[in-house]
């Protein structure tokens, strides 16, 4: 049986069972890698739901998932609103999806400054803060548009571990996946920490395509240590996806961002 992002291709119960099995397999991998690393602290799992419908988010909420990640504002804003509406409806009707009201939304994609206003409406955190102009935009957006109940916006400094990429995230035509140069991480964290309504959560990175994830995540761990020396509470490391979560856990990841191994293959768009 193959899963599909189209919920109409399988009954809701079948899809829920599919998600339950995939989630259990990923949880088992996390347990094993955490034990193998000799760690007492189990990393947090953020399930990346990009390209999948809000119905899948609601199914995941019913299975106990609390943290979901999205990489496009338009899609994330619509899904966050739909999940809230579903949980409000469910509260009246008593359905499993009332859990959707407890979801925390994490923005993990490259973010244009003009989307900051929208993102601060629903996101607990932004994992892709990689330039000072975006810090300023997020600071202004939080001051003007943040719902009080969401609290401060947790900002992760995204690091570019791919020295060959050299793209500008605002150009929309990068060879890499975004991120600040390692040498700029502490100064960006300084800017975040100096902005009302923003907190520094830690560092985030994506392992460069085709490179050894162990080398990349070992480097990220050193960058994270430098950040902690300057900002002791910024002790998070957001790293590890479906293909490399074991390596990320071995190198101290505190937050994993896993999509396809929970939801199934994404449609080949974007
Ligand atoms: C899509 C995405 C993920 C999840 O990737 P999978 O390989 O599907 O687990 C994690 N991080 C970022 C930044 C992404 O864009």
């Amino acid at each position: 049986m193959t899963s599909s992002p189209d919920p109409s291709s399988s009954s809701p119960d079948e899809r829920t069972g599919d998600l339950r099995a995939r989630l259990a397999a990923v949880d088992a991998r996390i347990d094993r890698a955490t034990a193998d690393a000799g760690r007492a602290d189990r990393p947090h799992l953020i399930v990346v739901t990009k390209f999948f419908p809000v119905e899948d988010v609601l199914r995941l909420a019913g299975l106990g998932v609390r943290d979901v990640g999205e990489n496009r504002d338009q899609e994330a804003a619509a899904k966050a609103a739909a999940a809230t509406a579903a949980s409000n409806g469910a509260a009246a009707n008593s359905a499993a999806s009332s859990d959707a009201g407890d979801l925390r939304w994490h923005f993990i994609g490259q973010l244009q400054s003009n989307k900051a206003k929208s993102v601060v409406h629903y996101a607990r955190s932004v994992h892709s803060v990689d330039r000072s102009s975006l810090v300023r935009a997020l600071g202004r957006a939080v001051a003007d548009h943040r719902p009080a109940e969401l609290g401060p916006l947790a900002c992760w400094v995204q690091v570019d571990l791919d020295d060959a990429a050299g793209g500008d995230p605002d150009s929309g035509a990068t060879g890499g996946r975004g991120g600040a140069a390692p040498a700029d991480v502490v100064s960006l964290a300084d800017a975040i920490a100096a902005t009302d309504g923003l907190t520094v959560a830690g560092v985030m990175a994506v392992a460069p395509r085709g490179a050894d994830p162990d080398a990349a995540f070992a480097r990220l761990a050193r960058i994270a240590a430098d950040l902690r020396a300057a900002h002791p509470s910024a002790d998070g490391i957001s790293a590890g996806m479906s293909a490399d979560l074991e390596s990320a856990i071995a190198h101290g990841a505190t937050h994993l961002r896993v999509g396809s191994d929970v939801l199934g293959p994404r449609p080949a768009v974007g």
Side-chain angles (χ1 to χ4, degrees):
M1 182 187 72
T2 59
S3 69
S4 165
D6 176 3
S8 65
S9 67
S10 59
S11 73
D13 286 346
E14 188 184 333
R15 178 62 172 155
T16 300
D18 177 31
L19 290 172
R20 181 186 284 112
R22 288 172 171 279
L23 186 61
V26 167
D27 272 327
R29 285 172 62 194
I30 297 170
D31 285 340
R32 200 175 318 122
T34 304
D36 286 351
R39 290 177 51 175
D41 60 317
R42 190 181 194 275
H44 299 277
L45 172 62
I46 298 172
V47 178
V48 178
T49 49
K50 65 189 184 192
F51 299 134
F52 287 89
V54 69
E55 288 76 12
D56 279 349
V57 176
L58 301 179
R59 291 182 180 109
L60 289 166
L63 295 171
V65 169
R66 286 293 165 270
D67 292 281
V68 293
E70 290 282 335
N71 71 338
R72 293 176 185 202
D73 170 59
Q74 208 181 0
E75 178 180 347
K79 281 152 83 169
T84 301
S87 77
N88 292 341
N93 293 328
S94 99
S97 55
S98 61
D99 297 328
D102 301 329
L103 284 168
R104 294 183 288 259
W105 296 81
H106 302 271
F107 194 85
I108 64 168
Q110 289 187 337
L111 181 56
Q112 292 175 320
S113 296
N114 62 6
K115 299 281 168 53
K117 265 196 290 223
S118 173
V119 165
V120 301
H121 274 290
Y122 57 83
R124 292 290 171 143
S125 74
V126 173
H127 286 237
S128 46
V129 178
D130 60 0
R131 57 201 190 280
S132 53
S133 57
L134 180 58
V135 174
R136 287 192 296 275
L138 288 169
R140 283 192 301 269
V142 164
D144 294 344
H145 302 282
R146 183 109 170 129
E149 66 270 19
L150 286 183
L153 181 70
C155 293
W156 299 74
V157 179
Q158 184 178 352
V159 190
D160 181 7
L161 297 175
D162 188 354
D163 297 312
D168 173 358
D170 264 332
S171 75
T174 86
R177 294 169 161 190
D184 295 337
V185 168
V186 171
S187 65
L188 271 175
D190 292 345
I192 295 165
T195 305
D196 281 342
L198 307 184
T199 62
V200 192
V203 291
M204 177 276 215
V206 177
R209 265 183 252 272
D212 171 16
D214 276 319
F217 293 142
R219 186 175 178 202
L220 182 64
R222 292 192 294 274
I223 296 165
D226 289 344
L227 174 61
R228 272 198 311 277
H231 294 272
S233 64
D235 58 357
I237 300 178
S238 169
M241 307 175 16
S242 293
D244 56 22
L245 69 89
E246 284 84 1
S247 170
I249 292 171
H251 293 286
T254 61
H255 291 68
L256 312 168
R257 309 176 312 271
V258 178
S260 42
D261 279 1
V262 174
L263 285 134
R266 284 186 289 273
V269 297

